[in-house]
Amino acid sequence: KNEVEQSPQNLTAQEGEFITINCSYSVGISALHWLQQHPGGGIVSLFMLSSGKKKHGRLIATINIQEKHSSLHITASHPRDSAVYICAAHINTGNQFYFGTGTSLTVIP
Amino acid sequence: DTAVSQTPKYLVTQMGNDKSIKCEQNLGHDTMYWYKQDSKKFLKIMFSYNNKELIINETVPNRFSPKSPDKAHLNLHINSLELGDSAVYFCASTSFEGTSYNEQFFGPGTRLTVL
């Protein structure tokens, strides 16, 4: 069993819909990362959080440390949001990363 | 100005060969990483390195070795390439402040194909 589980694996949404991607982890973490990988292959770091909530534009990330769960929300989704979203649990000790398998999001106009 | 760059972008080679992938960052970061992304798009950390410590993922074969000539570079050498080494390899960098690491910046990736 992977230390980090994401759901759903695949998600198709209509433009404008509110989207939620979930991430659960089983290890004690220093931080939880959300990454975005576009069809071209490049990876961009969206958020790094260890508590509470962060917001960048239409993207919101939340984390519940007690429940070992994080969510990535996209408001007013747009076709350019189509990408694979990956969560990763980071442990400072040993500088270890455990990655989820990714959620492939397609937003249809 | 590219923050994290990798060369080459594509690498096609025969089984048994030795090859290197270069990574450079101009962000002044003190920590660099190599990741492998397999055909199922699953990312796995291979190495993390700062000027004091190399941390190796125990699942990485010793045919893979990182070499850092200076803080801005972390190159990946692969000996005796095997078919299973075919993947996309990403370099990334970050900085360590206080008690934690900051967000990572990723290179564009190198697609390695072993024939």
Side-chain angles (χ1 to χ4, degrees):
Chain A
K1 190 181 187 299
N2 202 21
E3 289 86 355
V4 178
E5 299 284 348
Q6 279 185 244
S7 63
Q9 277 195 318
N10 297 286
L11 182 54
T12 301
Q14 288 292 132
E15 184 172 356
E17 280 185 17
F18 180 82
I19 287 161
T20 295
I21 299 170
N22 295 301
C23 176
S24 297
Y25 52 92
S26 58
V27 293
I29 66 167
S30 308
L32 193 288
H33 294 245
W34 281 101
L35 308 173
Q36 180 192 55
Q37 186 169 27
H38 272 284
I43 297 176
V44 174
S45 176
L46 296 175
F47 295 102
M48 185 184 77
L49 64 166
S50 52
S51 66
K53 177 176 166 177
K54 285 191 176 180
K55 185 175 190 290
H56 287 154
R58 295 179 296 104
L59 300 178
I60 303 165
T62 63
I63 189 167
N64 184 320
I65 298 293
Q66 286 74 27
E67 293 185 5
K68 294 190 174 179
H69 181 268
S70 177
S71 292
L72 177 68
H73 306 284
I74 305 175
T75 61
S77 60
H78 190 276
R80 65 174 174 266
D81 297 326
S82 298
V84 175
Y85 293 84
I86 302 166
C87 72
H90 182 218
I91 301 168
N92 266 354
T93 305
N95 198 9
Q96 282 297 317
F97 280 91
Y98 298 95
F99 290 87
T101 51
T103 295
S104 179
L105 170 66
T106 303
V107 181
I108 300 169
Chain B
D1 253 0
T2 305
V4 182
S5 59
Q6 292 179 231
T7 53
K9 194 167 168 60
Y10 299 97
L11 182 53
V12 181
T13 188
Q14 299 286 334
M15 245 177 16
N17 283 350
D18 303 336
K19 289 293 177 186
S20 295
I21 306 172
K22 294 186 176 180
C23 177
E24 176 181 1
Q25 54 94 5
N26 61 7
L27 299 164
H29 288 165
D30 52 22
T31 302
M32 296 181 74
Y33 304 87
W34 276 106
Y35 296 95
K36 178 180 180 182
Q37 187 174 44
D38 61 25
S39 56
K40 293 183 181 175
K41 303 288 189 182
F42 188 63
L43 267 170
K44 219 169 191 181
I45 188 168
M46 301 177 72
F47 304 102
S48 70
Y49 184 80
N50 63 25
N51 57 6
K52 298 171 190 169
E53 193 176 17
L54 170 66
I55 299 174
I56 303 170
N57 184 324
E58 61 189 16
T59 66
V60 174
N62 58 14
R63 297 181 295 103
F64 290 79
S65 57
K67 289 196 172 39
S68 180
D70 55 58
K71 214 170 80 161
H73 296 83
L74 184 66
N75 303 325
L76 182 64
H77 296 269
I78 316 169
N79 294 325
S80 303
L81 276 155
E82 300 178 357
L83 294 175
D85 298 332
S86 296
V88 181
Y89 292 84
F90 286 96
C91 174
S93 73
T94 188
S95 56
F96 187 82
E97 283 181 36
T99 58
S100 62
Y101 292 90
N102 291 320
E103 290 185 67
Q104 293 183 60
F105 289 79
F106 284 81
T110 296
R111 182 174 294 277
L112 170 65
T113 303
V114 182
L115 303 174

